[in-house]
Amino acid sequence: MPSAHLTATYRWHADVVLDPAVTTETLPDRFTRWCEVVVARLPWGLNRLVPPTLLGFALINGGTFGVDLILLTIFHGWWGLPVWLAVTVGYICAFALSFVLNRTFNFHSHAPVGRQAAIYVVVVAINYATFILGVGTGLTGLGLEYHLSRLLAGGCEAVFMYSAMRWVVFRTRPTAAAPTRGH
């Protein structure tokens, strides 16, 4: 991100002065700044523990999870598709949307999209097999209502997906000019 677009949201950015005539803040920049401001105001020292990307992920994926549940209701509840098929179609649609929104708004990635998409597909496949089919469909098969099964599986997948997106899919590689921790 160009230095002209830096936002002064952390205490250590206090010396950064922005010229509104030079700064062209985009919608993704505003989303990130808002997440940083909210996280900076968290109580009990949580502002030092919770990264702004976690809040951004929660907001984005909360919205896409809602899309997933709506599609599940339409495909299974209204159209009568089998649970496994309704979950699969809703899941694919929601995770495609999640990838685009997280890449753009949350992680501000400018890396080649092809490599990231390929890694994301592998992460999503692992997540799907483990949490959606394994936990979600398994709980439904044991007699738990399908929405509740999906919510429980969603909690498990949220932890896995945030970790994978932050440290695998959209990880930032240190540049040669950037100092590394501990130096």
Side-chain angles (χ1 to χ4, degrees):
M1 184 174 239
S3 60
H5 295 276
L6 289 177
T7 56
T9 57
Y10 290 112
R11 289 181 205 100
W12 58 85
H13 288 162
D15 62 327
V16 175
V17 177
L18 299 176
D19 180 357
V22 176
T23 303
T24 55
E25 189 175 57
T26 64
L27 188 58
D29 292 333
R30 281 184 270 171
F31 177 79
T32 297
R33 184 170 42 87
W34 183 84
C35 289
E36 289 171 344
V37 167
V38 170
V39 166
R41 293 183 177 154
L42 291 176
W44 309 301
L46 289 173
N47 60 340
R48 291 184 297 270
L49 298 174
V50 175
T53 56
L54 180 59
L55 175 60
F57 175 84
L59 293 171
I60 290 169
N61 282 56
T64 58
F65 188 67
V67 168
D68 189 357
L69 288 176
I70 289 168
L71 292 175
L72 174 61
T73 301
I74 292 168
F75 296 146
H76 178 69
W78 295 356
W79 295 354
L81 295 178
V83 171
W84 69 267
L85 181 59
V87 166
T88 301
V89 174
Y91 182 82
I92 289 169
C93 294
F95 271 82
L97 181 60
S98 172
F99 176 80
V100 171
L101 294 176
N102 272 294
R103 177 179 161 80
T104 304
F105 285 86
N106 199 29
F107 295 102
H108 295 269
S109 179
H110 298 290
V113 71
R115 184 181 190 312
Q116 285 181 337
I119 293 169
Y120 186 73
V121 166
V122 171
V123 166
V124 167
I126 292 168
N127 181 62
Y128 178 77
T130 304
F131 299 112
I132 305 307
L133 289 183
V135 175
T137 304
L139 290 173
T140 301
L142 292 173
L144 198 59
E145 198 273 334
Y146 70 96
H147 285 107
L148 185 55
S149 296
R150 185 64 186 96
L151 287 169
L152 291 172
C156 296
E157 74 176 291
V159 173
F160 174 76
M161 288 303 298
Y162 175 73
S163 300
M165 290 173 92
R166 181 171 181 192
W167 291 297
V168 179
V169 178
F170 299 119
R171 74 173 181 254
T172 55
R173 295 189 175 104
T175 60
T180 57
R181 288 189 164 182
H183 290 97

